[in-house]
């Protein structure tokens, strides 16, 4: 029997699978890099903890640089590693890292605290920072209002957040990292992004790169309520 050529060429034609020499084929797990951005104290660490670890941390300290968390999920039979970059909200703890945050990012989660209006008004600065790092338009972005369990303290009305999300072509999730009843909603943020990324990346390359007309079709769409809707 003819032998497959050694080296990278032998990987061609295996549709994502890799055939190791002399071994059975196996499928490489894809990694999606998702960064979580927003003011200090909005709950980025708690949200990523809830998604990756399933709990609310008793105590957190300001993140310095970045903390990596990950979770392997299964979407339509494919195992995907969701690599979450929990970034620092404080300028002094993030400035040396910003370039690394945005390099080869697959999706961006913008977080504000529903009980703190300044964390919402500051979103425009975070979006400017993201745009300033040439993040391609195809990279999905979502907006997350956290700390919804503090019902009596809410300062940012849903209608205002929804309008902002619509204007920036983002889906809106309002949730709580603390309330265990909201944990599915927290999972939905990352699962929704992972689904979208999987769908985007299954298309032929020409639909993703250099074809802005085609690419626009892949932008998020909102359902009637617009909130917490997932296109997948
Ligand atoms: N009530 C309530 N408190 C929360 C929630 N999420 C986070 N917190 C609290 O908010 C504070 C800040 O949470 P962190 O997750 O550390 O905030 P962060 O955005 O990571 O802050 P930096 O790392 O400084 O950028 C902590 O005291 C958390 O316990 C939530 O959903 N509800
Ligand atoms: Mg943090």
């Amino acid at each position: 029997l003819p032998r497959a050529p050694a080296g990278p060429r032998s990987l061609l034609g295996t549709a994502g699978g890799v055939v190791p020499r002399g071994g059975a084929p196996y499928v490489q797990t894809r990694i999606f890099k998702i960064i979580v951005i927003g003011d200090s104290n909005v709950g980025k660490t708690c949200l990523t903890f809830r998604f990756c670890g399933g709990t609310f941390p008793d105590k957190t300290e300001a993140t310095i640089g970045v903390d990596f968390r990950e979770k392997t999920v299964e979407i339509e039979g494919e195992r995907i590693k969701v690599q979450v970059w929990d970034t620092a909200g404080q300028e002094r703890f993030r400035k040396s890292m910003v370039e690394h945050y945005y390099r080869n990012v697959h999706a961006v989660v913008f977080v504000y605290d529903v009980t703190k209006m300044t964390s919402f008004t500051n979103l425009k600065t975070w979006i400017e920072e993201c745009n300033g790092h040439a993040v391609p338009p195809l990279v999905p972005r979502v907006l997350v209002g956290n700390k919804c369990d503090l019902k009596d303290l809410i300062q940012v009305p849903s209608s205002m957040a929804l309008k902002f999300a619509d204007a920036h072509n983002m889906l809106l999730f309002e949730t709580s990292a603390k309330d265990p009843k909201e944990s599915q909603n927290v999972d939905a943020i990352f699962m929704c992004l992972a689904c979208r990324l999987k769908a985007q990346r299954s298309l032929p390359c020409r639909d993703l790169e250099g074809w802005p007309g085609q690419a626009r079709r892949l932008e998020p769409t909102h359902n009637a309520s617009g909130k917490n809707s997932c296109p997948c």
Side-chain angles (χ1 to χ4, degrees):
L1 283 175
R3 285 167 59 112
R9 272 158 180 271
S10 62
L11 306 182
L12 292 174
T14 55
V18 175
V19 185
R21 272 196 203 151
Y26 61 89
V27 176
Q28 255 179 349
T29 308
R30 289 197 286 175
I31 301 174
F32 291 156
K33 170 182 172 180
I34 300 180
I35 58 170
V36 184
I37 298 281
D39 274 10
S40 180
N41 217 47
V42 296
K44 299 180 297 297
T45 296
C46 292
L47 283 167
T48 59
F49 215 88
R50 172 65 81 187
F51 172 65
C52 297
T55 56
F56 182 73
D58 290 337
K59 189 170 165 290
T60 57
E61 275 165 17
T63 303
I64 297 172
V66 64
D67 284 328
F68 300 104
R69 306 209 158 79
E70 62 180 36
K71 183 168 172 175
T72 301
V73 300
E74 194 172 312
I75 301 170
E76 290 168 342
E78 182 185 353
R79 279 163 65 83
I80 287 170
K81 198 177 276 182
V82 179
Q83 184 185 76
V84 183
W85 287 48
D86 169 24
T87 72
Q90 285 191 46
E91 175 64 19
R92 64 191 167 132
F93 292 147
R94 70 197 311 280
K95 58 174 183 276
S96 61
M97 288 293 294
V98 178
E99 303 301 321
H100 299 280
Y101 296 160
Y102 291 101
R103 189 169 303 144
N104 299 325
V105 68
H106 294 124
V108 185
V109 177
F110 292 97
V111 185
Y112 67 95
D113 173 348
V114 294
T115 71
K116 196 159 181 221
M117 185 53 92
T118 53
S119 72
F120 180 75
T121 52
N122 282 342
L123 285 169
K124 62 177 186 312
T125 316
W126 295 114
I127 290 172
E128 276 162 21
E129 180 189 89
C130 182
N131 292 342
H133 284 81
V135 174
L138 259 177
V139 169
R141 303 171 182 204
V142 296
L143 184 60
V144 176
N146 188 38
K147 307 197 188 182
C148 284
D149 56 291
L150 301 172
K151 291 189 176 58
D152 299 335
L153 300 175
I154 290 178
Q155 286 186 2
V156 184
S158 298
S159 55
M160 186 185 278
L162 199 48
K163 206 169 151 194
F164 184 87
D166 269 340
H168 291 86
N169 211 9
M170 296 193 266
L171 292 176
L172 170 68
F173 292 82
E174 288 183 318
T175 193
S176 160
K178 187 172 187 178
D179 183 354
K181 291 195 293 296
E182 289 281 324
S183 70
Q184 278 192 339
N185 214 2
V186 174
D187 289 354
I189 300 164
F190 297 95
M191 290 304 287
C192 180
L193 285 171
C195 284
R196 290 232 311 253
L197 290 168
K198 179 177 156 65
Q200 272 185 2
R201 277 143 210 276
S202 306
L203 294 172
C205 292
R206 67 189 172 91
D207 281 356
L208 296 177
E209 288 160 7
W211 284 51
Q214 298 265 348
R216 228 170 278 126
R217 286 194 294 119
L218 300 169
E219 290 298 302
T221 51
H222 294 265
N223 67 10
S225 81
K227 222 167 66 174
N228 295 348
S229 55
C230 182
C232 51

mmCIF file with all atom_site columns, all heavy atoms in Angstrom, residues 73-94:
data_model
loop_
_atom_site.group_PDB
_atom_site.id
_atom_site.type_symbol
_atom_site.label_atom_id
_atom_site.label_alt_id
_atom_site.label_comp_id
_atom_site.label_asym_id
_atom_site.label_entity_id
_atom_site.label_seq_id
_atom_site.pdbx_PDB_ins_code
_atom_site.Cartn_x
_atom_site.Cartn_y
_atom_site.Cartn_z
_atom_site.occupancy
_atom_site.B_iso_or_equiv
_atom_site.pdbx_formal_charge
_atom_site.auth_seq_id
_atom_site.auth_comp_id
_atom_site.auth_asym_id
_atom_site.auth_atom_id
_atom_site.pdbx_PDB_model_num
ATOM 1   N N   . VAL A 1 73 ? -16.534 22.434 26.113 1.00 0.00 ? 73 VAL A N   1
ATOM 2   C CA  . VAL A 1 73 ? -17.970 22.256 25.903 1.00 0.00 ? 73 VAL A CA  1
ATOM 3   C C   . VAL A 1 73 ? -18.175 21.413 24.646 1.00 0.00 ? 73 VAL A C   1
ATOM 4   O O   . VAL A 1 73 ? -17.254 21.262 23.835 1.00 0.00 ? 73 VAL A O   1
ATOM 5   C CB  . VAL A 1 73 ? -18.687 23.629 25.742 1.00 0.00 ? 73 VAL A CB  1
ATOM 6   C CG1 . VAL A 1 73 ? -18.507 24.478 26.985 1.00 0.00 ? 73 VAL A CG1 1
ATOM 7   C CG2 . VAL A 1 73 ? -18.195 24.380 24.513 1.00 0.00 ? 73 VAL A CG2 1
ATOM 8   N N   . GLU A 1 74 ? -19.370 20.854 24.522 1.00 0.00 ? 74 GLU A N   1
ATOM 9   C CA  . GLU A 1 74 ? -19.651 20.072 23.321 1.00 0.00 ? 74 GLU A CA  1
ATOM 10  C C   . GLU A 1 74 ? -20.778 20.745 22.550 1.00 0.00 ? 74 GLU A C   1
ATOM 11  O O   . GLU A 1 74 ? -21.838 21.024 23.110 1.00 0.00 ? 74 GLU A O   1
ATOM 12  C CB  . GLU A 1 74 ? -20.044 18.645 23.704 1.00 0.00 ? 74 GLU A CB  1
ATOM 13  C CG  . GLU A 1 74 ? -20.010 17.738 22.488 1.00 0.00 ? 74 GLU A CG  1
ATOM 14  C CD  . GLU A 1 74 ? -20.210 16.276 22.835 1.00 0.00 ? 74 GLU A CD  1
ATOM 15  O OE1 . GLU A 1 74 ? -19.535 15.785 23.769 1.00 0.00 ? 74 GLU A OE1 1
ATOM 16  O OE2 . GLU A 1 74 ? -21.044 15.654 22.164 1.00 0.00 ? 74 GLU A OE2 1
ATOM 17  N N   . ILE A 1 75 ? -20.512 21.034 21.298 1.00 0.00 ? 75 ILE A N   1
ATOM 18  C CA  . ILE A 1 75 ? -21.530 21.659 20.453 1.00 0.00 ? 75 ILE A CA  1
ATOM 19  C C   . ILE A 1 75 ? -21.702 20.805 19.207 1.00 0.00 ? 75 ILE A C   1
ATOM 20  O O   . ILE A 1 75 ? -20.739 20.596 18.466 1.00 0.00 ? 75 ILE A O   1
ATOM 21  C CB  . ILE A 1 75 ? -21.149 23.106 20.068 1.00 0.00 ? 75 ILE A CB  1
ATOM 22  C CG1 . ILE A 1 75 ? -20.977 23.959 21.337 1.00 0.00 ? 75 ILE A CG1 1
ATOM 23  C CG2 . ILE A 1 75 ? -22.207 23.725 19.155 1.00 0.00 ? 75 ILE A CG2 1
ATOM 24  C CD1 . ILE A 1 75 ? -20.368 25.308 21.082 1.00 0.00 ? 75 ILE A CD1 1
ATOM 25  N N   . GLU A 1 76 ? -22.901 20.324 19.013 1.00 0.00 ? 76 GLU A N   1
ATOM 26  C CA  . GLU A 1 76 ? -23.220 19.449 17.876 1.00 0.00 ? 76 GLU A CA  1
ATOM 27  C C   . GLU A 1 76 ? -22.149 18.381 17.693 1.00 0.00 ? 76 GLU A C   1
ATOM 28  O O   . GLU A 1 76 ? -21.628 18.186 16.595 1.00 0.00 ? 76 GLU A O   1
ATOM 29  C CB  . GLU A 1 76 ? -23.355 20.291 16.596 1.00 0.00 ? 76 GLU A CB  1
ATOM 30  C CG  . GLU A 1 76 ? -24.589 21.158 16.603 1.00 0.00 ? 76 GLU A CG  1
ATOM 31  C CD  . GLU A 1 76 ? -24.576 22.192 15.486 1.00 0.00 ? 76 GLU A CD  1
ATOM 32  O OE1 . GLU A 1 76 ? -23.481 22.467 14.938 1.00 0.00 ? 76 GLU A OE1 1
ATOM 33  O OE2 . GLU A 1 76 ? -25.642 22.725 15.189 1.00 0.00 ? 76 GLU A OE2 1
ATOM 34  N N   . GLY A 1 77 ? -21.805 17.746 18.783 1.00 0.00 ? 77 GLY A N   1
ATOM 35  C CA  . GLY A 1 77 ? -20.875 16.623 18.714 1.00 0.00 ? 77 GLY A CA  1
ATOM 36  C C   . GLY A 1 77 ? -19.406 16.997 18.662 1.00 0.00 ? 77 GLY A C   1
ATOM 37  O O   . GLY A 1 77 ? -18.546 16.131 18.675 1.00 0.00 ? 77 GLY A O   1
ATOM 38  N N   . GLU A 1 78 ? -19.112 18.302 18.576 1.00 0.00 ? 78 GLU A N   1
ATOM 39  C CA  . GLU A 1 78 ? -17.697 18.706 18.553 1.00 0.00 ? 78 GLU A CA  1
ATOM 40  C C   . GLU A 1 78 ? -17.275 19.245 19.915 1.00 0.00 ? 78 GLU A C   1
ATOM 41  O O   . GLU A 1 78 ? -17.961 20.084 20.500 1.00 0.00 ? 78 GLU A O   1
ATOM 42  C CB  . GLU A 1 78 ? -17.453 19.793 17.493 1.00 0.00 ? 78 GLU A CB  1
ATOM 43  C CG  . GLU A 1 78 ? -15.976 20.176 17.437 1.00 0.00 ? 78 GLU A CG  1
ATOM 44  C CD  . GLU A 1 78 ? -15.662 21.334 16.482 1.00 0.00 ? 78 GLU A CD  1
ATOM 45  O OE1 . GLU A 1 78 ? -16.552 21.780 15.735 1.00 0.00 ? 78 GLU A OE1 1
ATOM 46  O OE2 . GLU A 1 78 ? -14.503 21.800 16.526 1.00 0.00 ? 78 GLU A OE2 1
ATOM 47  N N   . ARG A 1 79 ? -16.149 18.749 20.414 1.00 0.00 ? 79 ARG A N   1
ATOM 48  C CA  . ARG A 1 79 ? -15.601 19.285 21.670 1.00 0.00 ? 79 ARG A CA  1
ATOM 49  C C   . ARG A 1 79 ? -14.836 20.556 21.358 1.00 0.00 ? 79 ARG A C   1
ATOM 50  O O   . ARG A 1 79 ? -13.980 20.575 20.477 1.00 0.00 ? 79 ARG A O   1
ATOM 51  C CB  . ARG A 1 79 ? -14.640 18.266 22.289 1.00 0.00 ? 79 ARG A CB  1
ATOM 52  C CG  . ARG A 1 79 ? -15.341 17.168 23.060 1.00 0.00 ? 79 ARG A CG  1
ATOM 53  C CD  . ARG A 1 79 ? -14.391 16.010 23.266 1.00 0.00 ? 79 ARG A CD  1
ATOM 54  N NE  . ARG A 1 79 ? -13.261 16.396 24.131 1.00 0.00 ? 79 ARG A NE  1
ATOM 55  C CZ  . ARG A 1 79 ? -13.318 16.406 25.449 1.00 0.00 ? 79 ARG A CZ  1
ATOM 56  N NH1 . ARG A 1 79 ? -14.427 16.063 26.071 1.00 0.00 ? 79 ARG A NH1 1
ATOM 57  N NH2 . ARG A 1 79 ? -12.276 16.743 26.171 1.00 0.00 ? 79 ARG A NH2 1
ATOM 58  N N   . ILE A 1 80 ? -15.173 21.616 22.086 1.00 0.00 ? 80 ILE A N   1
ATOM 59  C CA  . ILE A 1 80 ? -14.524 22.913 21.868 1.00 0.00 ? 80 ILE A CA  1
ATOM 60  C C   . ILE A 1 80 ? -14.021 23.432 23.200 1.00 0.00 ? 80 ILE A C   1
ATOM 61  O O   . ILE A 1 80 ? -14.738 23.377 24.209 1.00 0.00 ? 80 ILE A O   1
ATOM 62  C CB  . ILE A 1 80 ? -15.519 23.916 21.227 1.00 0.00 ? 80 ILE A CB  1
ATOM 63  C CG1 . ILE A 1 80 ? -15.751 23.530 19.768 1.00 0.00 ? 80 ILE A CG1 1
ATOM 64  C CG2 . ILE A 1 80 ? -15.007 25.357 21.345 1.00 0.00 ? 80 ILE A CG2 1
ATOM 65  C CD1 . ILE A 1 80 ? -16.864 24.254 19.093 1.00 0.00 ? 80 ILE A CD1 1
ATOM 66  N N   . LYS A 1 81 ? -12.769 23.902 23.192 1.00 0.00 ? 81 LYS A N   1
ATOM 67  C CA  . LYS A 1 81 ? -12.222 24.473 24.421 1.00 0.00 ? 81 LYS A CA  1
ATOM 68  C C   . LYS A 1 81 ? -12.480 25.976 24.410 1.00 0.00 ? 81 LYS A C   1
ATOM 69  O O   . LYS A 1 81 ? -11.996 26.678 23.524 1.00 0.00 ? 81 LYS A O   1
ATOM 70  C CB  . LYS A 1 81 ? -10.723 24.180 24.501 1.00 0.00 ? 81 LYS A CB  1
ATOM 71  C CG  . LYS A 1 81 ? -10.174 24.349 25.894 1.00 0.00 ? 81 LYS A CG  1
ATOM 72  C CD  . LYS A 1 81 ? -8.714  23.988 25.959 1.00 0.00 ? 81 LYS A CD  1
ATOM 73  C CE  . LYS A 1 81 ? -8.486  22.492 26.141 1.00 0.00 ? 81 LYS A CE  1
ATOM 74  N NZ  . LYS A 1 81 ? -7.057  22.155 26.255 1.00 0.00 ? 81 LYS A NZ  1
ATOM 75  N N   . VAL A 1 82 ? -13.281 26.422 25.373 1.00 0.00 ? 82 VAL A N   1
ATOM 76  C CA  . VAL A 1 82 ? -13.535 27.859 25.494 1.00 0.00 ? 82 VAL A CA  1
ATOM 77  C C   . VAL A 1 82 ? -12.485 28.398 26.470 1.00 0.00 ? 82 VAL A C   1
ATOM 78  O O   . VAL A 1 82 ? -12.486 28.049 27.647 1.00 0.00 ? 82 VAL A O   1
ATOM 79  C CB  . VAL A 1 82 ? -14.962 28.135 26.016 1.00 0.00 ? 82 VAL A CB  1
ATOM 80  C CG1 . VAL A 1 82 ? -15.201 29.634 26.160 1.00 0.00 ? 82 VAL A CG1 1
ATOM 81  C CG2 . VAL A 1 82 ? -16.005 27.515 25.080 1.00 0.00 ? 82 VAL A CG2 1
ATOM 82  N N   . GLN A 1 83 ? -11.600 29.217 25.930 1.00 0.00 ? 83 GLN A N   1
ATOM 83  C CA  . GLN A 1 83 ? -10.531 29.785 26.763 1.00 0.00 ? 83 GLN A CA  1
ATOM 84  C C   . GLN A 1 83 ? -10.936 31.219 27.117 1.00 0.00 ? 83 GLN A C   1
ATOM 85  O O   . GLN A 1 83 ? -11.034 32.075 26.243 1.00 0.00 ? 83 GLN A O   1
ATOM 86  C CB  . GLN A 1 83 ? -9.225  29.790 25.979 1.00 0.00 ? 83 GLN A CB  1
ATOM 87  C CG  . GLN A 1 83 ? -8.045  30.259 26.769 1.00 0.00 ? 83 GLN A CG  1
ATOM 88  C CD  . GLN A 1 83 ? -6.804  30.340 25.880 1.00 0.00 ? 83 GLN A CD  1
ATOM 89  O OE1 . GLN A 1 83 ? -6.662  31.253 25.090 1.00 0.00 ? 83 GLN A OE1 1
ATOM 90  N NE2 . GLN A 1 83 ? -5.930  29.367 25.996 1.00 0.00 ? 83 GLN A NE2 1
ATOM 91  N N   . VAL A 1 84 ? -11.225 31.432 28.403 1.00 0.00 ? 84 VAL A N   1
ATOM 92  C CA  . VAL A 1 84 ? -11.741 32.733 28.833 1.00 0.00 ? 84 VAL A CA  1
ATOM 93  C C   . VAL A 1 84 ? -10.594 33.546 29.428 1.00 0.00 ? 84 VAL A C   1
ATOM 94  O O   . VAL A 1 84 ? -9.906  33.082 30.341 1.00 0.00 ? 84 VAL A O   1
ATOM 95  C CB  . VAL A 1 84 ? -12.867 32.556 29.872 1.00 0.00 ? 84 VAL A CB  1
ATOM 96  C CG1 . VAL A 1 84 ? -13.449 33.914 30.244 1.00 0.00 ? 84 VAL A CG1 1
ATOM 97  C CG2 . VAL A 1 84 ? -13.968 31.644 29.337 1.00 0.00 ? 84 VAL A CG2 1
ATOM 98  N N   . TRP A 1 85 ? -10.417 34.747 28.917 1.00 0.00 ? 85 TRP A N   1
ATOM 99  C CA  . TRP A 1 85 ? -9.398  35.670 29.438 1.00 0.00 ? 85 TRP A CA  1
ATOM 100 C C   . TRP A 1 85 ? -10.115 36.665 30.347 1.00 0.00 ? 85 TRP A C   1
ATOM 101 O O   . TRP A 1 85 ? -10.814 37.561 29.877 1.00 0.00 ? 85 TRP A O   1
ATOM 102 C CB  . TRP A 1 85 ? -8.704  36.414 28.301 1.00 0.00 ? 85 TRP A CB  1
ATOM 103 C CG  . TRP A 1 85 ? -7.756  35.593 27.484 1.00 0.00 ? 85 TRP A CG  1
ATOM 104 C CD1 . TRP A 1 85 ? -7.987  34.362 26.943 1.00 0.00 ? 85 TRP A CD1 1
ATOM 105 C CD2 . TRP A 1 85 ? -6.431  35.966 27.089 1.00 0.00 ? 85 TRP A CD2 1
ATOM 106 N NE1 . TRP A 1 85 ? -6.885  33.942 26.246 1.00 0.00 ? 85 TRP A NE1 1
ATOM 107 C CE2 . TRP A 1 85 ? -5.918  34.909 26.312 1.00 0.00 ? 85 TRP A CE2 1
ATOM 108 C CE3 . TRP A 1 85 ? -5.634  37.086 27.316 1.00 0.00 ? 85 TRP A CE3 1
ATOM 109 C CZ2 . TRP A 1 85 ? -4.646  34.939 25.767 1.00 0.00 ? 85 TRP A CZ2 1
ATOM 110 C CZ3 . TRP A 1 85 ? -4.359  37.126 26.758 1.00 0.00 ? 85 TRP A CZ3 1
ATOM 111 C CH2 . TRP A 1 85 ? -3.877  36.055 26.004 1.00 0.00 ? 85 TRP A CH2 1
ATOM 112 N N   . ASP A 1 86 ? -9.930  36.477 31.640 1.00 0.00 ? 86 ASP A N   1
ATOM 113 C CA  . ASP A 1 86 ? -10.521 37.383 32.637 1.00 0.00 ? 86 ASP A CA  1
ATOM 114 C C   . ASP A 1 86 ? -9.528  38.531 32.832 1.00 0.00 ? 86 ASP A C   1
ATOM 115 O O   . ASP A 1 86 ? -8.517  38.380 33.499 1.00 0.00 ? 86 ASP A O   1
ATOM 116 C CB  . ASP A 1 86 ? -10.742 36.582 33.932 1.00 0.00 ? 86 ASP A CB  1
ATOM 117 C CG  . ASP A 1 86 ? -11.094 37.476 35.113 1.00 0.00 ? 86 ASP A CG  1
ATOM 118 O OD1 . ASP A 1 86 ? -11.600 38.590 34.898 1.00 0.00 ? 86 ASP A OD1 1
ATOM 119 O OD2 . ASP A 1 86 ? -10.855 37.028 36.259 1.00 0.00 ? 86 ASP A OD2 1
ATOM 120 N N   . THR A 1 87 ? -9.856  39.681 32.237 1.00 0.00 ? 87 THR A N   1
ATOM 121 C CA  . THR A 1 87 ? -8.884  40.784 32.205 1.00 0.00 ? 87 THR A CA  1
ATOM 122 C C   . THR A 1 87 ? -9.038  41.704 33.423 1.00 0.00 ? 87 THR A C   1
ATOM 123 O O   . THR A 1 87 ? -10.049 41.673 34.119 1.00 0.00 ? 87 THR A O   1
ATOM 124 C CB  . THR A 1 87 ? -9.050  41.621 30.916 1.00 0.00 ? 87 THR A CB  1
ATOM 125 O OG1 . THR A 1 87 ? -10.267 42.385 31.012 1.00 0.00 ? 87 THR A OG1 1
ATOM 126 C CG2 . THR A 1 87 ? -9.097  40.743 29.676 1.00 0.00 ? 87 THR A CG2 1
ATOM 127 N N   . ALA A 1 88 ? -8.032  42.529 33.631 1.00 0.00 ? 88 ALA A N   1
ATOM 128 C CA  . ALA A 1 88 ? -8.063  43.485 34.742 1.00 0.00 ? 88 ALA A CA  1
ATOM 129 C C   . ALA A 1 88 ? -8.811  44.749 34.316 1.00 0.00 ? 88 ALA A C   1
ATOM 130 O O   . ALA A 1 88 ? -8.579  45.273 33.228 1.00 0.00 ? 88 ALA A O   1
ATOM 131 C CB  . ALA A 1 88 ? -6.635  43.837 35.134 1.00 0.00 ? 88 ALA A CB  1
ATOM 132 N N   . GLY A 1 89 ? -9.684  45.238 35.204 1.00 0.00 ? 89 GLY A N   1
ATOM 133 C CA  . GLY A 1 89 ? -10.401 46.477 34.899 1.00 0.00 ? 89 GLY A CA  1
ATOM 134 C C   . GLY A 1 89 ? -9.595  47.712 35.275 1.00 0.00 ? 89 GLY A C   1
ATOM 135 O O   . GLY A 1 89 ? -9.785  48.781 34.702 1.00 0.00 ? 89 GLY A O   1
ATOM 136 N N   . GLN A 1 90 ? -8.709  47.553 36.237 1.00 0.00 ? 90 GLN A N   1
ATOM 137 C CA  . GLN A 1 90 ? -7.932  48.716 36.678 1.00 0.00 ? 90 GLN A CA  1
ATOM 138 C C   . GLN A 1 90 ? -6.788  48.996 35.716 1.00 0.00 ? 90 GLN A C   1
ATOM 139 O O   . GLN A 1 90 ? -5.978  48.089 35.450 1.00 0.00 ? 90 GLN A O   1
ATOM 140 C CB  . GLN A 1 90 ? -7.351  48.472 38.078 1.00 0.00 ? 90 GLN A CB  1
ATOM 141 C CG  . GLN A 1 90 ? -8.383  48.572 39.173 1.00 0.00 ? 90 GLN A CG  1
ATOM 142 C CD  . GLN A 1 90 ? -7.731  48.583 40.547 1.00 0.00 ? 90 GLN A CD  1
ATOM 143 O OE1 . GLN A 1 90 ? -6.755  49.294 40.758 1.00 0.00 ? 90 GLN A OE1 1
ATOM 144 N NE2 . GLN A 1 90 ? -8.268  47.786 41.455 1.00 0.00 ? 90 GLN A NE2 1
ATOM 145 N N   . GLU A 1 91 ? -6.725  50.231 35.275 1.00 0.00 ? 91 GLU A N   1
ATOM 146 C CA  . GLU A 1 91 ? -5.729  50.656 34.285 1.00 0.00 ? 91 GLU A CA  1
ATOM 147 C C   . GLU A 1 91 ? -4.308  50.214 34.663 1.00 0.00 ? 91 GLU A C   1
ATOM 148 O O   . GLU A 1 91 ? -3.584  49.652 33.851 1.00 0.00 ? 91 GLU A O   1
ATOM 149 C CB  . GLU A 1 91 ? -5.838  52.191 34.151 1.00 0.00 ? 91 GLU A CB  1
ATOM 150 C CG  . GLU A 1 91 ? -4.804  52.850 33.264 1.00 0.00 ? 91 GLU A CG  1
ATOM 151 C CD  . GLU A 1 91 ? -4.896  52.430 31.805 1.00 0.00 ? 91 GLU A CD  1
ATOM 152 O OE1 . GLU A 1 91 ? -5.950  51.922 31.393 1.00 0.00 ? 91 GLU A OE1 1
ATOM 153 O OE2 . GLU A 1 91 ? -3.880  52.589 31.091 1.00 0.00 ? 91 GLU A OE2 1
ATOM 154 N N   . ARG A 1 92 ? -3.949  50.447 35.927 1.00 0.00 ? 92 ARG A N   1
ATOM 155 C CA  . ARG A 1 92 ? -2.555  50.142 36.323 1.00 0.00 ? 92 ARG A CA  1
ATOM 156 C C   . ARG A 1 92 ? -2.251  48.645 36.256 1.00 0.00 ? 92 ARG A C   1
ATOM 157 O O   . ARG A 1 92 ? -1.105  48.239 36.157 1.00 0.00 ? 92 ARG A O   1
ATOM 158 C CB  . ARG A 1 92 ? -2.275  50.676 37.725 1.00 0.00 ? 92 ARG A CB  1
ATOM 159 C CG  . ARG A 1 92 ? -3.118  50.018 38.796 1.00 0.00 ? 92 ARG A CG  1
ATOM 160 C CD  . ARG A 1 92 ? -3.014  50.727 40.127 1.00 0.00 ? 92 ARG A CD  1
ATOM 161 N NE  . ARG A 1 92 ? -4.061  50.258 41.028 1.00 0.00 ? 92 ARG A NE  1
ATOM 162 C CZ  . ARG A 1 92 ? -3.851  49.894 42.268 1.00 0.00 ? 92 ARG A CZ  1
ATOM 163 N NH1 . ARG A 1 92 ? -2.648  49.938 42.775 1.00 0.00 ? 92 ARG A NH1 1
ATOM 164 N NH2 . ARG A 1 92 ? -4.863  49.489 43.017 1.00 0.00 ? 92 ARG A NH2 1
ATOM 165 N N   . PHE A 1 93 ? -3.290  47.799 36.332 1.00 0.00 ? 93 PHE A N   1
ATOM 166 C CA  . PHE A 1 93 ? -3.058  46.357 36.303 1.00 0.00 ? 93 PHE A CA  1
ATOM 167 C C   . PHE A 1 93 ? -3.216  45.765 34.900 1.00 0.00 ? 93 PHE A C   1
ATOM 168 O O   . PHE A 1 93 ? -3.095  44.560 34.717 1.00 0.00 ? 93 PHE A O   1
ATOM 169 C CB  . PHE A 1 93 ? -4.028  45.634 37.234 1.00 0.00 ? 93 PHE A CB  1
ATOM 170 C CG  . PHE A 1 93 ? -3.782  45.915 38.691 1.00 0.00 ? 93 PHE A CG  1
ATOM 171 C CD1 . PHE A 1 93 ? -4.849  45.953 39.582 1.00 0.00 ? 93 PHE A CD1 1
ATOM 172 C CD2 . PHE A 1 93 ? -2.500  46.136 39.177 1.00 0.00 ? 93 PHE A CD2 1
ATOM 173 C CE1 . PHE A 1 93 ? -4.639  46.210 40.935 1.00 0.00 ? 93 PHE A CE1 1
ATOM 174 C CE2 . PHE A 1 93 ? -2.278  46.393 40.527 1.00 0.00 ? 93 PHE A CE2 1
ATOM 175 C CZ  . PHE A 1 93 ? -3.347  46.432 41.406 1.00 0.00 ? 93 PHE A CZ  1
ATOM 176 N N   . ARG A 1 94 ? -3.554  46.617 33.936 1.00 0.00 ? 94 ARG A N   1
ATOM 177 C CA  . ARG A 1 94 ? -3.824  46.058 32.612 1.00 0.00 ? 94 ARG A CA  1
ATOM 178 C C   . ARG A 1 94 ? -2.941  46.638 31.521 1.00 0.00 ? 94 ARG A C   1
ATOM 179 O O   . ARG A 1 94 ? -2.795  46.037 30.462 1.00 0.00 ? 94 ARG A O   1
ATOM 180 C CB  . ARG A 1 94 ? -5.303  46.238 32.245 1.00 0.00 ? 94 ARG A CB  1
ATOM 181 C CG  . ARG A 1 94 ? -5.718  47.676 31.956 1.00 0.00 ? 94 ARG A CG  1
ATOM 182 C CD  . ARG A 1 94 ? -7.215  47.865 31.995 1.00 0.00 ? 94 ARG A CD  1
ATOM 183 N NE  . ARG A 1 94 ? -7.957  46.892 31.222 1.00 0.00 ? 94 ARG A NE  1
ATOM 184 C CZ  . ARG A 1 94 ? -8.114  46.938 29.914 1.00 0.00 ? 94 ARG A CZ  1
ATOM 185 N NH1 . ARG A 1 94 ? -7.581  47.912 29.216 1.00 0.00 ? 94 ARG A NH1 1
ATOM 186 N NH2 . ARG A 1 94 ? -8.808  46.004 29.305 1.00 0.00 ? 94 ARG A NH2 1
#
